[in-house]
Amino acid sequence: MSIHENLLHGFELLSEKKVSEINCLAKIYRHVKSGARLFFLQTDDDNKVFSISFRTPPTDSTGVPHILEHSVLCGSRKFPVREPFVELVKGSLNTFLNAMTFPDKTMYPVASRNDKDFRNLMDVYLDAVFYPNIEQVPEIMMQEGWHYELENAQAELSYKGVVYNEMKGVFSSPDAVLERKIQETLFPESPYGVESGGDPEFIPNLTQEEFVTFHKKYYHPANSYIFLYGNLNIAEELKFIDEEYLSHFDRIEVDSAIVRQKSFDKTLEHTYSYPISVNEKPQDKTFLSLNFVVGEATDPETTLAFEILEHLLLGTPAAPLKKALLEAGIGKDVFGQFNQSILQPVLTVGVRGANEDKKAEFLKVVYETLQRLCTEGLDKKLVEASVNIHEFQLREANFGNYPKGLIYNIKCMDSWLYDESPLLHLAYEGALGKVKTALTSRYFEELIEQKLLQNKHQAVVVVKPEQGLAEAKSKELAAKLAEYKKTLTTEEIEGIVKQTESLKKRQTTPDTPEKLATIPLLSLKDISRKTEELPLVEKKIGATKLLFHPLFTNRIAYVNLYFDSAVVKQSLLPYLFLLDGVLGQVDTEKYTYSELSNEINIHTGGISSASVAYSEKDDDTIFYPKFKVKSKALVAKLPELLGLLGEILGHSRFDDKKRLKELIAELKSKFAAIILEKGQIISSSRVLSYVSPVSKFREIGYLSFYHFVADLEEHFDEKFAEIQANLHQVAELIFTREGMLISLTTDEADYKAFTDSLPRLCKKLHTAQALPESYEFCFGAKNEGLMTSAKVQYAAKGYNFRRLNFEYQGSMRVLETIMRYDYLWNRIRVQGGAYGAFVQFERNGNMVYGSYRDPNLAETVHVYDEAAQYIAAFKVTEREMTKYIIGTMSGIDSPLTASMKGERAAENYLQHITQHDMEQERREILETTEEKVRSLAALVDECMKQNYICVLGGEEKIQQNKQLFAQLVSVFE
């Protein structure tokens, strides 16, 4: 066949293959004129995905790939508005819309179930990457990357920029510092040795000229990887891409090859520092890691084998390397990581909560344990468990809120980017078959010997705490900027002032209606007026209530158990969250915790738990504490699943002192990381706990829980008997037949298989049902400044509007969209330089504003206080109002997997949210008008006037604004 016979709208079909593993027909194309690559996965899925990616290896740590990722979405040839990305978020039915910077590539994926919307998204993204306004409008790089900020000639000179502050926030986490330093150490001569996201120390070295040059070099179709997925008409999509974009480019050679790092002659060892507060103790806060470069991402068998090996060695309570390190007392938390999204994948063995003087012992334990496993052999049951859980996950292909096509896109880039077939990791049966020989051979033992013990491409990376490092760097930066300002002439200073004014003018000048009209928009007619009904059939099995959700699940049963935990007295509530932290990781009467872990992974798709509280839909003072246990298994394995659930819930033992001590230390370490990485959750939950009973209960599992486990760890020996007794008491109180509600999601035909196996669970549960407790919480505006060594803030302000006699209405959901992507976006992100901000209204009356990775504090709180004025004056065109409504509906109608539908139905049931309530909310959203938005100004104003605030952030910034707080709290001791 000649090339012309095989051409479709400028694309040559290179190969076509059915991929049974993911039930897709895969087609690989090449655009003849431009050189663009295109990969299409044809399937029945209506959640269609498009993405265009570029290979973008950085040469320094100025963050140019990351800043460019932000910036190309700030206006283009066909769509000259300031931020097309935001306009799409406001007014698209997208199921995913974002862009992502990796160490060696930049991806621009979108997804939608609506054909017209899908085409609109594709058009805006293609125009953005090929024709951005970055050269004509230098303020774009200044805003998204960095710029000198100078309000007037007398003011202090400072740096500002969205990516600059985002990365300051990222590197406030020692885990992120460790991850960066591992790559820097392992790949000194490769693009992976620098930070593609940008290091705040180097971001200000980036010039506008270098920025534009990077785009011109790499953002050409010949260096692009276009991906399409779903039940779409490929001929129509190829025609559009060719005619509108690719046909306008000629093929060129783009030198974007990833330089391979040569192996080392010997193991490298490097120690780095991360900041902690001057009031924080440095003991037990060092990270130790041993890191191996293991082959290449283009070897699918080795890649899959190492995914499983990392889990086998470090990922479960039965993992032998994890156990050896914990038993040696080297650190508080052992973790493993396998990074396969780079050309030369890396396996990391790490320990948190250690001390630098334990480095030699750490290495001795790792090497000796690996050698012992090679000599004595791995436990075959452990091997079976790790292989089984990975096979279950591969076949289930349940990615939660993320579209399947998006995950397949990311996975295919792990080979396609490196000039191999995009199918390499998607068609996994061959590789899996070879790895499964480990069940009857020395497969993993040989892998450890060859790829780890005999491997010279490895590095020991230690990241240790340094008191006052953040403050010292802050002073050093201030002095550097002050010195630089002294070298400037009057004219140069005036130039920076004018540049600052020019940027602010661009940021505060609204787009004209004509420009806004260039962004394609759906009609409200494209949105169904009907809310999808979530299946729920109430049943009774003896005394047990069961909620059945009959849905197609491909012979998987999703079993969620909700135990009434209102029977636990107030003084023991922290133990509910501790029970969640240890359940399934301690011995039971029948199994040791290692054996239990293996049984779970061999027979199920996973068992997890959480202590939660569901509020009455319209009253946060009435709430239902539940201990939720989630599980899943193949229907054929239901007897084993229910037997294991019964064993865990009815017969867990809390008498192993050494094991409990390990778990409590691990929990403290993990929660410390969460506080630094997800500060917006901490500050938001904390501020609502000042006013709301249900939020007060939930907050016991956040910052309060960290302080609780920190105290338990410090006084463990003297408190062990108390801890053991309280865990036993709480488990006995809540895990009863009478207190259990079951939520089952599976096919109708498989219901009987569940009921037949249910006695295996019920007979092991306790029978005595206690009476519900009443909780007396203290409330009031604590207004805490929660101080850490972070370089950014997470500022929250909130209240409960029902206390002020306001009612919930669906238009509040539209207001969330308006505030997040207009008022807060412009004031806090665009002008303030924060990574983002949001407002949330709940049916029960709780409302909260929050910012994240925010360089400001008082200024952000002031923005919250002025929000009511903006809402009161809110005035937009009918087109803009439609846009906000559509953008809101994209979140309401995000596609749910069968397991998510069952879970959502059960939780609506617990909160007494009916189909009528959901229909009413939908109607109120679709009928939102300017007037209805403006009518919410009084509600927001009254809530803000109550002045309930909480900020988690840098000690220096909080101290500078201490007048805002009733109390200052050092989060870490």
Side-chain angles (χ1 to χ4, degrees), residues 13-32:
L13 179 64
L14 302 178
S15 71
E16 182 175 320
K17 184 181 178 182
K18 176 74 178 168
V19 187
S20 58
E21 290 93 333
I22 58 173
N23 195 28
C24 292
L25 178 64
K27 298 183 180 183
I28 301 173
Y29 295 89
R30 188 84 186 220
H31 190 258
V32 176

Side-chain angles (χ1 to χ4, degrees), residues 379 785 844:
D379 176 357
N844 63 20

Side-chain angles (χ1 to χ4, degrees), residues 639-886:
E640 288 86 350
L641 172 65
L642 291 161
L644 285 166
L645 286 170
E647 183 68 18
I648 292 166
L649 302 175
H651 298 302
S652 283
R653 296 173 56 180
F654 309 104
D655 54 0
D656 184 338
K657 185 174 182 180
K658 186 171 179 298
R659 182 61 180 154
L660 269 185
K661 188 172 186 177
E662 287 172 358
L663 289 171
I664 285 169
E666 189 178 308
L667 280 168
K668 181 192 170 188
S669 174
K670 282 192 165 83
F671 268 79
I674 289 168
I675 290 165
L676 289 172
E677 290 167 12
K678 298 184 178 177
Q680 71 274 19
I681 295 173
I682 302 299
S683 57
S684 299
S685 72
R686 193 79 167 184
V687 78
L688 289 174
S689 77
Y690 302 160
V691 67
S692 165
V694 69
S695 299
K696 185 77 172 180
F697 183 97
R698 291 169 181 161
E699 203 284 324
I700 295 168
Y702 286 112
L703 184 59
S704 294
F705 183 68
Y706 170 76
H707 289 138
F708 170 71
V709 291
D711 178 68
L712 291 188
E713 187 201 32
E714 188 177 350
H715 304 102
F716 182 80
D717 289 334
E718 64 201 78
K719 289 194 170 186
F720 169 64
E722 178 188 327
I723 295 167
Q724 178 190 2
N726 288 342
L727 282 170
H728 181 76
Q729 183 182 346
V730 168
E732 211 166 58
L733 279 168
I734 63 175
F735 296 139
T736 66
R737 294 175 212 170
E738 296 80 2
M740 177 175 67
L741 171 71
I742 301 172
S743 170
L744 170 67
T745 305
T746 196
D747 298 68
E748 185 88 54
D750 295 322
Y751 177 74
K752 186 173 185 302
F754 175 79
T755 55
D756 287 349
S757 301
L758 185 59
R760 286 171 171 256
L761 165 64
C762 291
K763 70 182 181 184
K764 293 189 178 181
L765 296 176
H766 307 292
T767 53
Q769 172 76 349
L771 294 172
E773 295 281 338
S774 60
Y775 303 128
E776 296 295 328
F777 297 130
C778 296
F779 297 105
K782 287 187 178 177
N783 292 11
E784 296 162 299
L786 304 172
M787 301 185 297
T788 71
S789 59
K791 299 167 189 168
V792 288
Q793 282 60 247
Y794 301 87
K797 187 165 187 180
Y799 198 67
N800 185 286
F801 57 79
R802 288 188 181 272
R803 303 275 190 288
L804 304 168
N805 299 315
F806 293 100
E807 297 295 319
Y808 177 80
Q809 52 183 281
S811 54
M812 290 175 179
R813 298 293 296 270
V814 182
L815 181 57
E816 287 178 356
T817 306
I818 294 167
M819 299 303 280
R820 184 164 196 163
Y821 295 110
D822 190 77
Y823 177 74
L824 296 174
W825 184 277
N826 288 325
R827 293 286 301 274
I828 291 177
R829 180 184 164 109
V830 173
Q831 295 166 41
Y835 189 56
F838 61 91
V839 65
Q840 187 173 9
F841 299 88
E842 294 183 55
R843 284 179 180 271
N844 63 20
N846 284 338
M847 73 147 289
V848 64
Y849 280 98
S851 70
Y852 43 101
R853 293 178 183 167
D854 187 349
N856 305 309
L857 197 162
E859 299 88 342
T860 295
V861 174
H862 185 60
V863 170
Y864 299 157
D865 290 339
E866 289 188 335
Q869 295 172 36
Y870 165 86
I871 299 166
F874 181 74
K875 189 164 180 60
V876 292
T877 63
E878 184 179 341
R879 185 180 191 279
E880 289 300 293
M881 195 68 243
T882 298
K883 186 187 290 182
Y884 287 124
I885 292 169
I886 291 171

